[in-house]
Amino acid sequence: MDKQKVVNYIAATTNFYGVVPYEKLAEIYTEQTGHQVSAEEVRMLARESEEELDRMFVWTGPEFLAHNAIIQKGEAEIYLEATKGKAFYVPQAEELLRYSDGKYVEMTPQAKALETFAGKRPEYDDEEIRKLMGWVRSAANQAEGDAFQNLIHHLQVGGYPGKMDPDDFEDLMRYAAHMFNHVRSWALRGHTPYEMGEEILLGMPRPELDEGVQEKVDYILALTHLWGIAPVTKVREVFNQQNGTALADSDFAAVLKDPSAAEWLDRGFVHVKGDRFIHEDLLDPEQYEYYSKQANGKPYYVPGKEELLRYADADHYEDTAELAAFRKFAERKLFRGEEARAINWVDYAQYLAASNTPPAQAMGLLLDDEGIVFDDDRQANELIGLFFDMVNATRMWENRGHTPNELRESGPLKVLSGGAATGGGQPVSEKVGRNDPCLCGSGKKYKKCCGK
C-alpha cells in the first residue's frame, strides 16, 4: 500500500464530499489505482496520520472522515442525514486528487465568468477573487437552508454588499449564483445543484458572442430542443446545408471551449454526451436509453432555417391547428373565460404531449392539475379526441422532431385515436412543468417546484 497516496486520497475525498465513510474511500482508491485496500487499512492509516491530515482540514472519526469545518460546527449528523441515500459522484482520479488542496476550486465555465466579472468591475486581484469563489463554494456546500439565502448570507459574511456599488453587487449575485449552480457540493455527495435540479435561477443577460460562434450555438440549441439528442455530425450537416459552408465536426466541438458559448448551452438546457448534444431532461440514463432506442432508424425532421432557429428558444413549440382547437375547447368549455388558467393548462398539456406521456396518465395528470369535472360524457369524449389530435400533430424527440402523423406510414409508429393506447412504456419524467423560474419565488424552475 502506498501510504502517501492513500493519505492524498483521504484528503481529496474529504474535501470533495465533506463527509465520507471509510468503506467508500477504500472503494474509490481500489477502483482508481488498481491496488486493493480495505476500509480498516484506511482507518488505521488515518489514525496514524492525524497530525498531517489535520493540516489538510481532515477529521478522522471511528466510522467516517469529515472536513474540519463540519466538525467545528457540530454538523456531522446533519450532513449524514442530508446525504442519506444519495449516490456519490466520483470524478476521474486526476480531478479528484486536485481536491487534496483544501483551497482548490474547479474552474468551470461559470466560475471563469465570475472571475472575469470580478476582475473587471470591482477590479479584484487574484487573492480577492479566490476568496470570493471560496465563499460561493461554502454556500453551495451547506446541508440546510434555502440555497438562495445561503448564497446571500455567505456573500454578506464576506462583506461584499458593503464594499460594492449596489448595481455591481446585483450583477455579482447573478454571476455567483451561476457559479453556485455548478459547484460540486458536500450536501449532494459531489453532484452539483444543477445536476440535482436544485439550482438558483436569477435573470442574467447572456454574454455576447461573436457572430460566427452565436450562429453555431443557435443551431446546437435549436436542433437539440427539436430532436432531444443531436449528434454533432448531424448538426454540422444541417448547418452546412442551410448556410452553404463546409465546416467540420471539430468546429462545433470547439464551441464548447468558449466559456461564454458553454454558458449559452447550459442556460438553454443543452449538455454534451460523447459526440452528441442532449437535452437536460435526458440526463437520466433510462430516459436517454429510451429515447435513443425509439428514435433509432427514424429520419430527422429539418425545417427551413427561419423555422428551425425558432427552436433555439427552449420553450418554442409549433402552434398547430390541432393545438389551437384544443386550446379553444379548454378556454370555452372548461375554464369559461379564465384565460390565464386555460393558457397554463394547455401549456402543460403540450408538454405532456411532447414528452409522449402515455395518454391515460397524461389525461389523469391534466384533470388532477385543475380538478376538472366534466359536464357529461360527451364533453369528456370531445376533450379526449382533441387531445389525441394534438398529440398526433406534436413534434416529438422519439420521432427525431417528426409528428406521429408525418410518420404514419413509416412502419411501427402508432398514431393515436380516441381510447387508443400508445406503444410507449418509457419511464415518465417527474419534471412536469416549464423551464421558467417558479412563480412562488423559490428561485427554482417551475417543473422542479410547484409544477411537480
Side-chain angles (χ1 to χ4, degrees), residues 322 326 363 378-392 416-419:
E322 294 81 1
F326 184 80
M363 290 306 302
R378 180 179 178 181
Q379 188 184 63
N381 290 330
E382 186 176 358
L383 176 68
I384 292 170
L386 289 169
F387 178 73
F388 286 148
D389 288 343
M390 181 185 72
V391 171
N392 289 326
L416 301 178
S417 60

Side-chain angles (χ1 to χ4, degrees), residues 75-347:
E75 294 180 342
E77 292 301 322
I78 293 174
Y79 276 89
L80 289 171
E81 182 62 29
T83 58
K84 189 176 181 179
K86 292 178 180 176
F88 285 88
Y89 169 80
V90 183
Q92 297 294 318
E94 182 180 0
E95 175 62 19
L96 176 59
L97 288 173
R98 292 192 178 107
Y99 283 85
S100 59
D101 175 358
K103 297 180 180 180
Y104 172 71
V105 175
E106 182 181 355
M107 291 305 293
T108 62
Q110 297 77 23
K112 290 178 181 177
L114 175 60
E115 178 185 44
T116 300
F117 169 81
K120 289 182 178 179
R121 290 274 285 278
E123 297 185 349
Y124 288 159
D125 59 23
D126 290 346
E127 180 62 20
E128 188 61 49
I129 291 173
R130 184 189 64 77
K131 289 179 181 178
L132 170 60
M133 291 185 170
W135 286 116
V136 175
R137 186 180 175 215
S138 293
N141 282 335
Q142 296 305 297
E144 290 187 315
D146 175 78
F148 182 56
Q149 294 302 321
N150 284 337
L151 179 58
I152 290 177
H153 171 72
H154 280 74
L155 293 179
Q156 288 174 336
V157 173
Y160 296 101
K163 56 187 177 184
M164 295 181 68
D165 175 271
D167 289 339
D168 283 347
F169 180 70
E170 184 176 341
D171 288 340
L172 176 69
M173 272 296 305
R174 293 191 177 98
Y175 281 99
H178 205 39
M179 176 184 165
F180 174 102
N181 292 338
H182 297 270
V183 170
R184 302 218 164 269
S185 169
W186 291 349
L188 302 175
R189 281 189 166 169
H191 291 278
T192 69
Y194 180 81
E195 290 169 344
M196 302 301 284
E198 299 179 12
E199 69 268 46
I200 298 170
L201 293 180
L202 293 179
M204 182 173 72
R206 301 186 186 191
E208 291 188 12
L209 303 177
D210 292 338
E211 184 177 350
V213 175
Q214 183 70 68
E215 211 170 15
K216 297 184 188 74
V217 166
D218 287 343
Y219 269 84
I220 293 170
L221 289 170
L223 292 170
T224 305
H225 295 156
L226 181 59
W227 298 337
I229 301 171
V232 65
T233 53
K234 196 65 184 177
V235 174
R236 181 260 305 160
E237 177 185 316
V238 172
F239 185 95
N240 285 340
Q241 287 177 346
Q242 294 193 344
N243 295 282
T245 53
L247 300 181
D249 290 356
S250 57
D251 293 312
F252 288 88
V255 168
L256 302 175
K257 298 179 181 179
D258 182 334
S260 295
E263 182 178 335
W264 270 75
L265 297 182
D266 177 54
R267 294 174 68 179
F269 314 107
V270 172
H271 296 251
V272 179
K273 185 179 178 70
D275 61 351
R276 298 179 175 193
F277 299 103
I278 67 171
H279 193 279
E280 76 159 43
D281 285 351
L282 303 187
L283 288 175
D284 177 82
E286 290 186 9
Q287 289 279 63
Y288 179 81
E289 182 180 1
Y290 169 78
Y291 280 99
S292 295
K293 287 182 178 179
Q294 291 297 309
N296 188 39
K298 294 176 181 175
Y300 288 94
Y301 169 71
V302 183
K305 182 175 180 178
E306 182 178 355
E307 173 59 22
L308 172 60
L309 291 180
R310 291 193 179 105
Y311 285 91
D313 176 356
D315 290 326
H316 174 73
Y317 53 80
E318 192 173 335
D319 196 357
T320 63
E322 294 81 1
L323 176 58
F326 184 80
R327 183 187 299 114
K328 182 178 180 180
F329 178 89
E331 291 175 351
R332 292 187 176 182
K333 302 291 184 66
L334 300 181
F335 296 95
R336 295 179 172 88
E338 296 184 63
E339 186 176 358
R341 286 179 65 206
I343 290 174
N344 288 334
W345 189 76
V346 171
D347 199 37

Side-chain angles (χ1 to χ4, degrees), residues 23-43:
E23 290 78 7
K24 187 63 184 181
L25 197 158
E27 176 189 315
I28 293 171
Y29 179 87
T30 299
E31 289 181 354
Q32 293 195 344
T33 67
H35 299 293
Q36 184 74 36
V37 65
S38 69
E40 184 57 33
E41 288 175 313
V42 174
R43 184 184 291 107

